[in-house]
Amino acid sequence: MPPPRQPLARLLVTRRMTAAAEAAIGAEFDATFRDSTTPLTEAEATAALAHHDAIMPTLGDGFTAAAFAAAPPRARVLGNFGAGFNHIDLAAAAEAGVVVTNTPEVVTDATADIALTLILMTARRAGEGERLVRAGRWKGWHPTQMLGMHVTGRTVGIIGMGRIGQAIARRCHGGFAMQVLFHNRRGVTGLGFPARQVPLPELLASSDIVVLAVPGGAETQHLIGADQLAAMQPHAILINIARGDVVDEAALIAALDAGQIAGAGLDVYEREPLVPDTLRARDDVVLLPHLGTAAEEVRTAMALRALENLRAVRDGRDPPDRVALAEMNLRREPGAGPCVSLPQRASLQEDAT
């Protein structure tokens, strides 16, 4: 029999964290905080698995099948910082005996807030207006200046009704008296606010504002392409706070060029951090640098949630936010959690950092 594995001691945190988070992590583990803002390459992920007992990875880190297969990993757990985990090959992790966890719940409100920020900025042309003022080109108020779309009372269509989608819907309904449509693979009930579940084509054709709040991954790649954009109303706007590759960026640019939709608000990008020049040059697109959870208390809470999962594995307990491979394999359509217990279902339904 192989010797028993030693208790967790050496931890790699793949990005710097807030001061409060680093202090808490350092008190629990022999922690190394990687002093870089870029994701781990596949080679770096391979080395991390070989030389650390635990890893706190995040968006973009290259934990591919090849990284796990290079050698039997020393690491026992990846305590992911963030709700989304499409940068980790779950099947390969399971095969290597590495536990994967994430950080649901703590990201919900901040991400929903950014969705509302994008809705308002895009509909009311706020980014364009600010650039006008900063450039010294504003000539003063007049009745037809920079007319945008009035948001109150509109119809919002939310694709993906997990925790984040529901938080967006509550804000839209309660704050702006919007009618809420949503698309989700499985039925969702007991929302606590009026909303109607509809097929995707109906949502696209009926909504003034379309918001993407689905998980990332192969199943949702290019969920929104040329056909879906053509189905939207010419005055409608598209908001993406999910993952960049949920939208076919080339198709989005073509739809904007053709006037098929009125604008877009994006916090994520298909080849992040690369943003096409054609998007950056447009006044009808609001571009944010992946600010979804960018508030100090939220990022600290995410790190502490990841730390709790790491601590649980170290102490021989089942981590509260373990990501289950078997259930993930059931996900074939966007925005739906698989048939799992409620704690697992909650963590699987949202995918924003």
Side-chain angles (χ1 to χ4, degrees):
M1 292 179 61
R5 304 180 85 171
Q6 296 302 308
L8 294 179
R10 193 174 185 197
L11 168 68
L12 174 66
V13 183
T14 69
R15 310 287 205 287
R16 296 308 298 261
M17 297 287 164
T18 65
E22 290 192 357
I25 292 166
E28 294 281 349
F29 290 92
D30 176 13
T32 298
F33 297 91
R34 179 171 167 266
D35 197 13
S36 174
T37 59
T38 60
L40 290 181
T41 65
E42 184 180 276
E44 290 171 325
T46 300
L49 288 166
H51 296 119
H52 296 84
D53 301 297
I55 303 168
M56 188 184 292
T58 192
L59 180 71
D61 287 335
F63 287 95
T64 62
F68 286 102
R74 170 178 171 177
R76 293 164 51 197
V77 58
L78 300 185
N80 191 59
F81 176 86
F85 43 80
N86 57 314
H87 51 285
I88 301 170
D89 189 307
L90 296 178
E95 180 68 23
V98 177
V99 173
V100 178
T101 67
N102 69 340
T103 60
E105 297 173 343
V106 291
V107 306
T108 301
D109 286 327
T111 308
D113 290 347
I114 284 293
L116 268 293
T117 301
L118 285 169
I119 288 171
L120 291 169
M121 288 186 70
T122 308
R124 297 299 300 274
R125 301 172 65 182
E128 180 184 357
E130 201 224 13
R131 288 189 294 274
L132 182 74
V133 174
R134 286 184 180 275
R137 293 186 286 106
W138 184 44
K139 304 303 181 184
W141 181 91
H142 60 82
T144 59
Q145 174 190 258
M146 295 195 65
L147 301 180
M149 180 173 69
H150 188 50
V151 168
T152 298
R154 292 285 183 171
T155 297
V156 63
I158 299 173
I159 303 176
M161 196 53 92
R163 276 203 189 93
I164 292 171
Q166 291 177 34
I168 295 167
R170 280 193 296 273
R171 286 158 170 77
C172 289
H173 171 71
F176 297 93
M178 292 192 207
Q179 299 179 60
V180 178
L181 304 179
F182 70 93
H183 175 70
N184 205 71
R185 180 167 71 105
R186 298 186 185 279
V188 179
T189 59
L191 290 173
F193 52 85
R196 188 162 60 91
Q197 186 166 358
V198 298
L200 183 58
E202 181 179 345
L203 181 147
L204 295 169
S206 304
S207 299
D208 303 302
I209 301 160
V210 175
V211 183
L212 302 175
V214 296
E219 294 84 359
T220 56
Q221 185 176 25
H222 288 185
L223 171 68
I224 301 299
D227 291 345
Q228 290 73 34
L229 291 161
M232 291 174 62
Q233 301 183 77
H235 70 270
I237 60 174
L238 177 72
I239 306 298
N240 189 10
I241 51 84
R243 283 290 183 263
D245 63 0
V246 172
V247 176
D248 181 337
E249 244 166 40
L252 173 60
I253 292 166
L256 290 163
D257 284 341
Q260 290 179 326
I261 64 172
L266 309 175
D267 191 40
V268 289
Y269 306 92
E270 188 168 2
R271 295 169 184 83
E272 192 171 313
L274 300 177
V275 180
D277 291 344
T278 45
L279 279 180
R280 291 192 290 111
R282 302 192 68 98
D283 275 332
D284 53 3
V285 178
V286 175
L287 306 172
L288 297 182
H290 205 145
L291 294 180
T293 57
E296 183 167 359
E297 57 268 47
V298 177
R299 292 283 168 84
T300 297
M302 292 166 64
L304 296 181
R305 183 75 171 246
L307 175 61
E308 173 53 32
N309 285 305
L310 293 170
R311 187 189 295 117
V313 175
R314 179 197 65 189
D315 297 344
R317 296 180 284 113
D318 190 38
D321 303 308
R322 184 172 188 152
V323 177
L325 171 66
E327 287 82 7
M328 285 301 300
N329 286 339
L330 294 176
R331 184 191 285 166
R332 289 294 179 265
E333 295 184 48
C339 294
V340 294
S341 65
L342 287 177
Q344 290 174 331
R345 185 187 182 99
S347 70
L348 293 169
Q349 278 190 308
E350 54 191 2
D351 193 38
T353 39

